[in-house]
Amino acid sequence: YLLLAQIHCQFYDYKKALGFILESDKIVSNFSQFAEPEHYFYHCLIILKNYPQFSKEEKKRHWDLLKVSQQKLAEFAERCPINFVDKSQLIEAIVAGVSGNFVQAVGLYDEAIQLARENGFVQNEAIANEAAANYYLSRNQVTIATAYLREACRAYVRWGALAKLKHLEQSY
């Protein structure tokens, strides 16, 4: 379920991704030490991507679930920062943006990107740049968004994610 959630999230099918990540959440206690933090990261991402479409009741329920997963991801980041701090920072950035904290969000996006780059996680660098681009697009700041999107494309190429690159080219 986790892999299906990741694929659907990467290709903007957030509704299906939500169904898969909720199924993954039921079995996360059986995951390896490598898959568990990935689950929490994508759980947060997918909830945040679906958040605007949720009803008031769903927003409350999913926000509570988000906070639990966000805390678990933060615990991984605290125990092993080199592997997880960039993911934790990215979730913090998206939460700040959703909460209306523009200045905090902008700083956290840049921190997440820099940490992913410094720690050699090109896939996370790509995801963080893409998330930052989408955030700026949501605020009608096209010039800045374009710069982040360009960096996301470069990172996806370095990662070898050519299908994702094609998807971005078709989407934007």
Side-chain angles (χ1 to χ4, degrees), residues 143-157:
T143 303
I144 297 170
T146 301
Y148 281 100
L149 198 53
R150 201 171 288 125
E151 289 300 313
C153 288
R154 287 183 184 126
Y156 282 123
V157 167

Side-chain angles (χ1 to χ4, degrees), residues 2 23 28 36 59 65 78 90 107 111 131-133 145 154 167:
L2 176 58
E23 288 300 315
V28 70
E36 187 179 356
K59 282 184 177 182
L65 292 172
E78 189 176 304
L90 178 56
E111 283 179 38
R154 287 183 184 126
H167 177 256

Side-chain angles (χ1 to χ4, degrees), residues 1-25 39 42-50 54 62:
Y1 294 113
L2 176 58
L3 294 175
L4 288 168
Q6 289 172 314
I7 290 167
H8 285 283
C9 181
Q10 283 292 328
F11 291 94
Y12 300 167
D13 189 353
Y14 301 122
K15 189 173 183 177
K16 277 189 183 175
L18 181 63
F20 286 122
I21 204 67
L22 292 176
E23 288 300 315
S24 176
D25 204 42
H39 166 83
Y42 273 91
H43 190 237
C44 292
L45 276 179
I46 292 166
I47 286 174
L48 289 163
K49 287 295 187 180
N50 280 284
F54 289 147
H62 284 288

Side-chain angles (χ1 to χ4, degrees), residues 46-119:
I46 292 166
I47 286 174
L48 289 163
K49 287 295 187 180
N50 280 284
Y51 195 75
Q53 287 74 43
F54 289 147
S55 68
K56 190 175 182 176
E57 297 79 30
E58 289 173 320
K59 282 184 177 182
K60 168 72 174 112
R61 182 169 55 87
H62 284 288
W63 192 261
D64 291 343
L65 292 172
L66 166 71
K67 289 311 210 176
V68 170
S69 287
Q70 186 180 11
Q71 179 58 42
K72 291 189 183 276
L73 186 58
E75 290 168 9
F76 278 102
E78 189 176 304
R79 287 193 302 263
C80 190
I82 196 166
N83 287 336
F84 305 112
V85 72
D86 59 295
K87 291 178 178 182
S88 185
Q89 289 294 96
L90 178 56
I91 297 305
E92 290 286 334
I94 299 170
V95 167
V98 167
S99 301
N101 299 321
F102 175 76
V103 173
Q104 183 183 18
V106 168
L108 288 167
Y109 277 116
D110 286 338
E111 283 179 38
I113 292 163
Q114 185 62 32
L115 287 164
R117 185 177 299 130
E118 287 172 2
N119 294 326

